[in-house]
Amino acid sequence: MNFVRTAMLIAFMTALFMGVGLLIGGTNGMLIALVVAMGMNLFAYWNSDKMVLRMHHAHEVDERTAPEYYGMVAQLAENAGLPMPKVYVIDNPQPNAFATGRNPENAAVAATTGLLNSLSHEEVAAVMAHELAHVQNRDTLIMTITATLAGAISMLGNFAFFFGNNRNNPLGIIGVLAAMIVAPFAAMLVQMAISRTREYSADKRGAEICGNPLWLASALRKIAGGAKRVVNEDAERNPATAHMFIINPLNGQRMDGLFSTHPATENRIAALEQLHQQMGGSAPTQATMQSPRRGPWDSGPTSTSKGPWS
């Protein structure tokens, strides 16, 4: 159901983009808009992951530089039946994480030092399982396409006033105003709707990969609290990447409303608690919400106090 809904939203986004081209320049404008969209998406397909990682100053780690963190991701990827992604750390005090890459064979996951320092071993694993779920569901590609189209629609909207008042414009000044205001606004809403839809799916699959929905529920609660207290300066400078993170990294944007890139954390936690009971667990209590020290990805000794990044 989520896949069908996402496909319909992307189709609407594409039609909206072509419609803006039609409003600005008639049939020729629509064709030009289509060519521009294809070019932008082709560029984004090959380069978006590198661009996002660079924006957030992420650095790659391996089994030598971060053995426990890297090994955790490797075990979770094996649990999910995925190729091993590249693993990154972002030197940022806000607890958060994201995944990127055009497909599972060219994927990357990244966690902030704030996340690795403030969450337990199990909570970190649940977060990384969530990010691997995005990779498995190919959400990273979906979000790249929608973000690119939304940006292109906004760009065309900015040009509408200068190029839209011509004989090829079928609606005249009304078409210009629609291209300038309505279309970019609608594109933003569609992008946010897709983001919210994919987060619920990734929560569910991530809980299945790590084996315990309550670990992810506990992690979300901690990350949401940390995101409210700590400003992510890189995210504030690059707000178009906000939808990629497990929790909205932008300060002051926590509502589960029309303008939110993420569902309300409380709703996500409630869904995970319900999933826990469906998987045979008892109703969550304060005690059961405390993560145990070991999980199905770790057959070795209990993790040390240094954390899963070392």
Side-chain angles (χ1 to χ4, degrees):
M1 184 64 183
N2 281 335
F3 176 81
V4 173
R5 182 183 176 189
T6 300
M8 292 175 63
L9 289 170
I10 291 177
F12 176 80
M13 183 85 82
T14 304
L16 183 63
F17 183 82
M18 296 177 68
V20 172
L22 179 66
L23 291 173
I24 294 176
T27 304
N28 289 337
M30 182 176 66
L31 293 176
I32 292 172
L34 179 60
V35 172
V36 170
M38 291 175 62
M40 293 183 68
N41 276 315
L42 185 62
F43 178 82
Y45 179 83
W46 289 104
N47 297 286
S48 62
D49 55 340
K50 303 178 186 67
M51 293 170 60
V52 171
L53 291 165
R54 193 177 301 116
M55 286 177 186
H56 292 278
H57 303 97
H59 64 273
E60 188 173 0
V61 297
D62 55 26
E63 64 272 21
R64 180 181 59 83
T65 56
E68 190 174 353
Y69 171 42
Y70 185 91
M72 172 191 292
V73 174
Q75 184 59 63
L76 290 166
E78 182 179 340
N79 291 355
L82 287 169
M84 180 62 188
K86 292 182 178 180
V87 182
Y88 287 81
V89 171
I90 303 169
D91 188 11
N92 191 301
Q94 184 189 85
N96 231 315
F98 67 81
T100 186
R102 60 185 180 271
N103 54 41
E105 291 72 32
N106 295 276
V109 293
T112 65
T113 50
L115 180 111
L116 299 171
N117 280 317
S118 60
L119 270 63
S120 73
H121 183 96
E122 291 70 33
E123 290 163 343
V124 172
V127 170
M128 302 321 294
H130 169 98
E131 299 307 331
L132 288 173
H134 276 308
V135 172
Q136 191 168 55
N137 294 339
R138 297 182 181 267
D139 294 338
T140 51
L141 177 59
I142 290 171
M143 293 313 304
T144 295
I145 292 172
T146 56
T148 303
L149 285 173
I153 290 171
S154 296
M155 179 186 67
L156 286 180
N158 292 333
F159 290 146
F161 181 79
F162 300 100
F163 301 103
N165 189 22
N166 60 60
R167 62 185 180 182
N168 293 322
N169 186 336
L171 297 180
I173 189 62
I174 296 176
V176 173
L177 292 175
M180 289 178 60
I181 302 172
V182 178
F185 182 72
M188 178 187 69
L189 295 183
V190 171
Q191 182 186 7
M192 291 177 176
I194 293 174
S195 298
R196 294 195 295 268
T197 299
R198 303 320 301 169
E199 287 304 315
Y200 281 119
S201 296
D203 283 347
K204 182 177 184 296
R205 179 59 183 144
E208 294 169 350
I209 293 172
C210 74
N212 192 327
L214 295 186
W215 297 345
L216 183 54
S218 178
L220 290 176
R221 185 176 286 107
K222 288 185 179 180
I223 297 170
K228 290 179 181 178
R229 294 189 302 270
V230 182
V231 176
N232 186 328
E233 294 183 0
D234 287 334
E236 296 291 342
R237 283 192 293 268
N238 302 284
T241 64
H243 65 277
M244 300 180 64
F245 287 83
I246 189 169
I247 290 288
N248 189 346
L250 302 181
N251 191 267
Q253 297 188 21
R254 305 290 172 255
M255 56 184 176
D256 188 17
L258 197 59
F259 302 102
S260 176
T261 58
H262 292 67
T265 304
E266 293 79 8
N267 294 347
R268 296 170 70 181
I269 290 173
L272 287 164
E273 291 174 348
Q274 184 178 13
L275 177 62
H276 173 71
Q277 296 183 58
Q278 291 172 355
M279 293 171 65
S282 57
T285 63
Q286 186 65 32
T288 58
M289 286 300 290
Q290 299 298 320
S291 298
R293 291 301 304 159
R294 293 177 62 181
W297 62 87
D298 184 5
S299 58
T302 302
S303 57
T304 67
S305 60
K306 294 182 179 179
W309 61 95
S310 59

